[in-house]
Amino acid sequence: MSLYYIPLTVIALCAALYFYFTRTFNYWKKRNVPGPEPTALFGNFKESALRRKNIGVVVQELYNSFPNEKVVGIYRMTTPSLLIRDLDVIKHIMIKDFELFADRGVEFSKKGLGQNLFHADGDTWRGLRNRFTPIFTSGKLKRMYYLMHERADKFISFLQREIEKSPEFEIHGLVQKFTVSTITACAFGLDINTLDEKVEALEIIDKLVLEANFGLELDMMYPGILKKLGISIFPGKVLSFFKVLVNNVINMRNGKPTDRNDFMDLMLGLREMGTVTSNKLGSADTSVDITDDVVAAQAFVFYVGGYETSATTVSYLLYQLALNQDIQDKLVKEIDEELKQSNGEVTYDCLMNMKYLNKVFDETLRMYSIVEPLQRKATVDYKIPGTDVTIEKDTILLVSPRGIHYDEKYYPKPEVFDPSRFDAEVAGARHPCAYLPFGLGQRNCIGMRFGRLQSVLCVVKMLSKFRIEPSKNTKRDLGVKPSKNLIGPDGGILVNIVPRRDIKT
Ligand code: HEM
């Protein structure tokens, strides 16, 4: 008798589960908001949840599927969310009505490393952003430039030695060696030799932090659950590594700024100032205490946000130069001419003067924006301008830079690498929200200048000595790695790096 009931029980259980994991899927239909059919449990994120596609690519495909819509109703797992496609609506949300969407809404324990700028929300974010914005000014960056420059020279010497073994390199891993050494020097004030040795602790961190983590899917399904349970998306090992690292640096400096002018000095300077209240970002009560934990959390986010984004950008840039030798010729010409003016010294000012270089950099991030998708959370009910849609408080809104950057409406022949898209008159004629690799509005990337500077420095140092050429293994069609939080090349990028024949090295 009991055997007889087993299939019925299984069927009833499956039906109950199906009902439970589809229970929200009428949400957008009821509101007449168009959107793709969701799948039970996964909503519209099955491919990324199963690590078959990068989440940035999944959101780009959602963008492409609704070419005529301003907004698209989607489900992050079972939670209704909205994809914003229209640039005027994006402008409202990210710039004009920023105050209502200041939160990113990545909910998990905000203790320890969770107190970092990227993941903080509400007044904690305001307080942090007010305090940390001044350490990213061009003046501060200029004073830090010598640290980057020293590491770039070491990187070039390393490359010269490696080239003698073989011209072919996997450039993503190669450039990471430079950016990790720069960012550890600037964020932690440490001289770690990442060129000749593998720094195991940092490699582990790379895997733990940058590989997509199922905690995020859990939070998509049950928003706020990680926060309620006090769970962090960062493993305990990462937490203690950064805490110990930062405490050691603070002790080595006796808790006071030195004359290195790195981020650690600037943060210790802020700590000495005590609590400062500023209302630059709207709310009057945005003070935040710079404790050792807060310093560690920011050093952590500068490290994680700083090395991989730039390494990926530079490797895609070099890849495109390998495939487009005419663009490389034009860029090398500009570099040679500019360096002649500065007696061969790659100075901060000459990097800023290289107009074509900066267009090549911008076009690289147009084709390969690294941080995808952009995310905001509504802190109130809000009627989306130009539509009949009213979203409820706490709804997560997504924006797809890749979708926009490959939209023929804004970028004709989007598959073509063409730096002239950033000629002043062409860029000036585009909608101001059609280019967003660093995000938009007051919550955009705080490290934008730093990222650009270390990337273009690396490119100039390399091109002043070497030529980048395709090798027999250079793929013409690069896939995006599915399992990462960021956009990155699947299987790496192989190219040849050879000494320039027109100069003595
Ligand atoms: C090419 C290099 C980089 C790219 C493409 C990039 C991209 C981005 C993007 C798209 C965002 C989200 C912006 C938004 O939601 O509107 C962001 C935020 C952020 N980035 Fe970057 N980034 C880069 C380099 C850096 C560097 C070098 C640092 C630190 C030294 C950094 C630190 C941060 C931080 C702390 C945030 C959070 C800001 C906040 O929420 O207030 N990034 N970045």
Side-chain angles (χ1 to χ4, degrees), residues 361-379:
F361 177 85
D362 289 340
E363 174 66 346
T364 305
L365 279 177
R366 198 269 310 161
M367 281 185 87
Y368 310 101
S369 56
I370 314 289
V371 181
E372 296 267 355
L374 302 178
Q375 183 169 324
R376 296 290 186 270
K377 183 169 107 172
T379 54

Side-chain angles (χ1 to χ4, degrees), residues 385-412:
T387 72
D388 296 330
V389 182
T390 297
I391 48 167
E392 289 181 287
K393 177 177 179 294
D394 292 337
T395 304
I396 295 286
L397 309 175
L398 299 183
V399 171
S400 170
R402 272 177 84 84
I404 295 166
H405 292 176
Y406 279 83
D407 192 329
E408 295 254 355
K409 258 195 307 215
Y410 313 119
Y411 297 96

Side-chain angles (χ1 to χ4, degrees), residues 12-169:
L13 200 68
C14 289
L17 284 176
Y18 181 81
F19 175 77
Y20 180 73
F21 287 120
T22 56
R23 71 198 182 285
T24 52
F25 290 172
N26 259 336
Y27 185 90
W28 290 121
K29 275 195 191 118
K30 275 198 262 169
R31 288 164 177 78
N32 282 327
V33 179
E37 270 312 306
T39 310
L41 173 71
F42 298 107
N44 304 111
F45 286 75
K46 182 171 173 193
E47 296 300 301
S48 54
L50 297 178
R51 308 295 180 250
R52 295 203 288 234
K53 282 185 185 165
N54 185 286
I55 189 164
V57 174
V58 169
V59 179
Q60 179 187 18
E61 289 173 355
L62 294 171
Y63 176 97
N64 292 342
S65 307
F66 292 85
N68 301 317
E69 302 302 332
K70 292 188 174 181
V71 296
V72 181
I74 55 172
Y75 297 88
R76 295 164 71 242
M77 307 302 276
T78 48
T79 307
S81 309
L82 202 66
L83 172 66
I84 312 290
R85 293 186 78 264
D86 181 78
L87 299 186
D88 289 332
V89 178
I90 290 176
K91 192 170 175 186
H92 272 282
I93 287 171
M94 299 182 86
I95 302 171
K96 288 189 182 161
D97 292 331
F98 168 78
E99 266 309 309
L100 312 176
F101 300 96
D103 290 356
R104 196 163 273 129
V106 188
E107 303 280 356
F108 63 96
S109 165
K110 297 293 156 80
K111 292 193 195 119
L113 298 183
Q115 302 173 63
N116 74 71
L117 248 178
F118 191 90
H119 294 106
D121 274 340
D123 282 343
T124 310
W125 172 76
R126 283 188 177 78
L128 287 172
R129 185 85 189 207
N130 276 332
R131 298 298 302 272
F132 286 92
T133 296
I135 73 175
F136 284 91
T137 59
S138 353
K140 301 271 176 25
L141 215 53
K142 215 168 166 176
R143 269 183 265 155
M144 218 181 280
Y145 177 70
Y146 80 99
L147 286 169
M148 286 185 194
H149 192 270
E150 279 171 15
R151 264 115 214 115
D153 280 342
K154 285 187 188 163
F155 175 64
I156 296 301
S157 311
F158 165 79
L159 202 49
Q160 265 161 338
R161 291 196 299 277
E162 291 297 301
I163 276 174
E164 286 172 14
K165 297 179 200 157
S166 157
E168 190 176 66
F169 289 88

